[in-house]
Amino acid sequence: MWLSPKAARSAIARRLTPKLKLRISKLRHGELAWQRSINTRPIRPAHRINDVYDARSAQASSLADVRRALEQFEVDFVELPEPSAFTPFVVVPAAQTEAALSAIARGLLAPNAEESWSLKLLDSAGVSVSPGQGEKDPSRIAAARCLRHCVAFNGRELSTPREAVTVEFWDRLEPDVPRADGAVHLPGTLRRKLTGHDLSLDYIEPAVWQHALTNGSLLRLPAPHLKVLHEPVDIVYTWVDGADPAWLRRMRNARGQVDLNFTEPSALADSRFTNRDELKYSLRSLEYYASWARHIFIVTDDQVPPWLNVSHPQLTVVDHRDIFTDPTVLPVFNSHAIESQLHHIAGLSDRYLYLNDDCFFLRPSDPELFYTGSGLAKHFPSVVPLDIDGWSPRDLPIISAAKQGRDYLLDKYGRTVTHRFKHTPHAQLRPVLEAMEREEPALFAQVAASPFRSPIDFSIPSSLHHFDAYARGKSVEGDIGYQFVDLSREDLELQLGRIARRTDLDVCCLNETYIPQEKQASIETAVRSFFDDRFPVPSSFELPSPDRSSQLAGTGSRDRTAVDVV
């Protein structure tokens, strides 16, 4: 029987053990120890990141470097207005293609350059053009993508393709060239070579071009773009240290009073409260790729991570007692109960993301990933449908809560749903939650008073809010690059390695329902290795450690938002 190459690879892969798959994957990507010792070039101090990393600052710095190189060699250019801070575009007249490429090569790519850059040439169809082909026929080049590589001290590159600066070469038109709308272009208009329509404009008329040249080489829109959110967005985490003796005493005392006939066992599993320092690495990922957040609130049960810089001006630790409407129900050890009270946080913005600490950002993002420019929230439905049966004690808590939410919709709006939501950061609208609580105070009180997860719980911020906000016309379905990893997988290391390499994911989630005791140590090792490899640079939300202090010795102090390129 004949098999296609893809089918043959799949057939072979099914016969390999997870350990052998992992070794082959590392071999393929040059990640085995002996390969690294041969292939790894010394990281030049010029682009080694030791202190904090912020992709937005890195992007601004890269754009400034490209502009400076073009200015230095007197190349005319205009920076286009784009809704996102990432992947900026600069337009150069096609007649100056060779001059622009020479300026980039001399300013950024020279052997003695202080930073590490790469250059990718594209034709009008977006297909790569080799340097030799481009040199032979410069008119074939429609764009040059310039990417500065920001590398951590462990060799992990933190920059992604989203931080590239694209220089496009636009044709200057002769008279009587027709426009797409049936009119005729003005002579001297610059028109894009690339055939896509993914920019804010496809051509620039002579007067507009000249005005931009004399105003800092910036083409500005007359007002902020309708698609850009202008309201602040906060971040809310919930966190627990399941190894804290005082907390354990409270939890075990409460657990001893639970009716086990009405509680799914995973709701009481110790793994639900395991602390692997996920919050530390989630905050690193947030600072790397979502530094647009205004303020971060960390909600805890009278606990503070020992590494947390509580004096940070953008961070506030909030105790359960400060947000529960009825503090007499405390203590609770149920994330559904704690989540139901988050919108009570003092000073919280009307729009905020709720994150579990097992969620991590993996590439640069904008607030518009989670909100529309008009302020509507975005939700991200899972591809996995709910079964049509009613809730029962047999269901996992996340399933029973989703079914409860489905019943809520049916009772309140006469509508139903078939899918729950991905385990991503959840975009919240505080006014919607306040309205929901005013209308259903008993529901919120019931969930808040549930000490452990129960089949009659509602998952308010991560499910019910999205259903209700959508029904009110306040939320829309969004799209997000996302991967969920079950930590109990046999091929966990293989999956984590793949995620560490991917640049097409916005976020990932590492989670488990239940982990046998005999697998705890191996999972701890795999997860810790992934964290240290993928998020190696400490954030400004951490207290300096002795190792970090020695690592930074001699580098001098820097602004916390700056890319530390030393």
Side-chain angles (χ1 to χ4, degrees):
M1 180 178 66
W2 181 86
L3 292 176
S4 68
K6 182 177 180 180
R9 286 196 301 270
S10 298
I12 294 171
R14 284 194 294 270
R15 289 168 171 78
L16 299 177
T17 65
K19 185 174 291 187
L20 188 53
K21 286 181 182 178
L22 175 64
R23 184 167 182 81
I24 292 172
S25 178
K26 287 187 173 182
L27 178 67
R28 179 185 174 195
H29 294 280
E31 295 175 351
L32 295 175
W34 64 268
Q35 291 175 300
R36 287 182 169 178
S37 66
I38 294 173
N39 298 333
T40 301
R41 293 173 294 176
I43 302 172
R44 285 186 289 177
H47 65 279
R48 171 173 166 162
I49 304 166
N50 288 321
D51 206 345
V52 296
Y53 176 73
D54 173 1
R56 295 179 87 81
S57 293
Q59 178 71 93
S61 178
S62 296
L63 176 58
D65 287 348
V66 171
R67 288 175 57 99
R68 192 177 302 113
L70 296 175
E71 288 170 350
Q72 182 179 355
F73 294 97
E74 299 181 345
V75 176
D76 290 340
F77 69 91
V78 165
E79 180 186 332
L80 296 183
E82 291 298 319
S84 174
F86 297 102
T87 58
F89 287 82
V90 172
V91 173
V92 169
Q96 292 187 276
T97 298
E98 291 178 86
L101 292 176
S102 175
I104 291 169
R106 294 165 69 183
L108 305 178
L109 305 177
N112 61 344
E114 292 185 349
E115 297 177 341
S116 177
W117 289 77
S118 61
L119 182 68
K120 183 177 182 180
L121 305 178
L122 304 173
D123 65 14
S124 59
V127 177
S128 294
V129 176
S130 71
Q133 292 171 326
E135 186 175 3
K136 184 177 180 180
D137 182 11
S139 65
R140 183 178 174 183
I141 302 172
R145 286 186 183 153
C146 312
L147 177 63
R148 183 176 63 161
H149 299 278
C150 298
V151 182
F153 52 82
N154 68 340
R156 164 64 59 186
E157 181 168 354
L158 300 180
S159 50
T160 71
R162 284 210 71 195
E163 291 149 80
V165 179
T166 301
V167 179
E168 291 202 5
F169 307 105
W170 289 19
D171 288 324
R172 194 176 296 277
L173 302 181
E174 299 294 330
D176 301 323
V177 175
R179 286 193 335 204
D181 59 5
V184 176
H185 282 292
L186 292 175
T189 293
L190 288 171
R191 186 176 64 181
R192 194 182 190 198
K193 283 187 177 184
L194 281 164
T195 55
H197 298 284
D198 53 334
L199 298 183
S200 54
L201 65 168
D202 289 336
Y203 61 87
I204 304 174
E205 294 186 338
V208 175
W209 174 263
Q210 194 59 40
H211 182 268
L213 285 180
T214 56
N215 286 272
S217 290
L218 292 169
L219 200 162
R220 300 184 185 278
L221 297 176
H225 201 289
L226 188 63
K227 292 183 178 181
V228 175
L229 181 71
H230 296 285
E231 290 78 15
V233 178
D234 288 340
I235 305 290
V236 177
Y237 283 99
T238 52
W239 179 80
V240 64
D241 178 5
D244 173 23
W247 181 90
L248 274 171
R249 284 193 297 272
R250 296 195 298 272
M251 188 272 286
R252 287 170 178 165
N253 180 59
R255 190 165 63 181
Q257 304 173 43
V258 170
D259 182 357
L260 298 180
N261 294 318
F262 197 62
T263 304
E264 204 281 327
S266 69
L268 305 176
D270 288 340
S271 61
R272 286 210 53 78
F273 312 108
T274 300
N275 173 32
R276 302 184 184 91
D277 277 342
E278 290 96 337
L279 179 62
K280 177 192 292 185
Y281 295 95
S282 185
L283 284 170
R284 289 184 184 185
S285 77
L286 183 77
E287 186 163 76
Y288 293 1
Y289 303 125
S291 61
W292 41 262
R294 184 190 71 164
H295 199 84
I296 298 165
F297 297 91
I298 300 174
V299 178
T300 77
D301 181 8
D302 196 25
Q303 296 177 315
V304 177
W307 48 264
L308 189 67
N309 177 13
V310 294
S311 299
H312 196 292
Q314 283 184 275
L315 187 146
T316 301
V317 177
V318 180
D319 191 86
H320 292 177
R321 290 166 295 194
D322 297 329
I323 61 173
F324 269 69
T325 300
D326 180 7
T328 64
V329 303
L330 296 172
V332 296
F333 309 91
N334 176 1
S335 60
H336 292 153
I338 300 162
E339 294 168 355
S340 74
Q341 306 293 294
L342 298 179
H343 58 289
H344 298 157
I345 294 173
L348 184 64
S349 62
D350 282 351
R351 290 167 184 81
Y352 63 95
L353 298 186
Y354 165 54
L355 277 79
N356 292 129
D357 61 4
D358 56 9
C359 282
F360 307 89
F361 288 87
L362 294 174
R363 66 175 178 179
S365 68
D366 291 307
E368 293 76 26
L369 179 62
F370 301 100
Y371 294 93
T372 68
S374 60
L376 300 182
K378 294 182 182 180
H379 55 267
F380 309 107
S382 170
V383 297
V384 181
L386 282 168
D387 65 69
I388 62 173
D389 293 335
W391 62 269
S392 78
R394 300 189 312 275
D395 288 327
L396 292 175
I398 190 172
I399 301 299
S400 58
K403 290 180 178 180
Q404 291 282 11
R406 182 176 61 189
D407 292 346
Y408 166 92
L409 276 183
L410 189 61
D411 292 341
K412 186 163 186 174
Y413 296 106
R415 308 289 290 274
T416 192
V417 291
T418 55
H419 290 68
R420 50 195 178 93
F421 297 95
K422 295 175 179 176
H423 195 140
T424 65
H426 295 286
Q428 306 286 284
L429 295 171
R430 186 174 185 174
V432 167
L433 287 158
E434 291 171 342
M436 290 170 63
E437 187 170 22
R438 283 195 304 271
E439 296 164 11
E440 305 288 345
L443 183 154
F444 278 74
Q446 168 199 307
V447 175
S450 178
F452 292 93
R453 285 190 169 190
S454 159
I456 62 172
D457 282 352
F458 292 81
S459 181
I460 291 175
S462 54
S463 180
L464 194 63
H465 164 273
H466 304 326
F467 290 149
D468 196 275
Y470 184 77
R472 295 173 190 262
K474 299 294 185 181
S475 185
V476 295
E477 187 171 323
D479 184 38
I480 192 169
Y482 163 79
Q483 181 69 53
F484 178 89
V485 177
D486 185 342
L487 296 182
S488 64
R489 291 182 62 130
E490 290 296 326
D491 61 349
L492 175 61
E493 287 186 76
L494 178 66
Q495 297 303 318
L496 293 177
R498 288 173 175 171
I499 285 178
R501 297 183 205 105
R502 291 180 67 174
T503 58
D504 62 331
L505 296 176
D506 295 301
V507 296
C508 73
C509 173
L510 312 184
N511 195 276
E512 79 283 346
T513 301
Y514 171 73
I515 294 178
Q517 186 63 38
E518 63 272 15
K519 295 184 67 175
Q520 290 281 0
S522 62
I523 289 173
E524 177 78 21
T525 299
V527 171
R528 180 70 63 176
S529 177
F530 168 74
F531 286 160
D532 288 337
D533 173 58
R534 184 59 185 84
F535 310 110
V537 178
S539 74
S540 62
F541 305 111
E542 299 170 42
L543 293 170
S545 66
D547 289 343
R548 184 182 178 194
S549 298
S550 62
Q551 192 179 82
L552 296 177
T555 63
S557 61
R558 290 171 176 79
D559 183 89
R560 71 159 216 92
T561 61
V563 179
D564 188 11
V565 183
V566 295

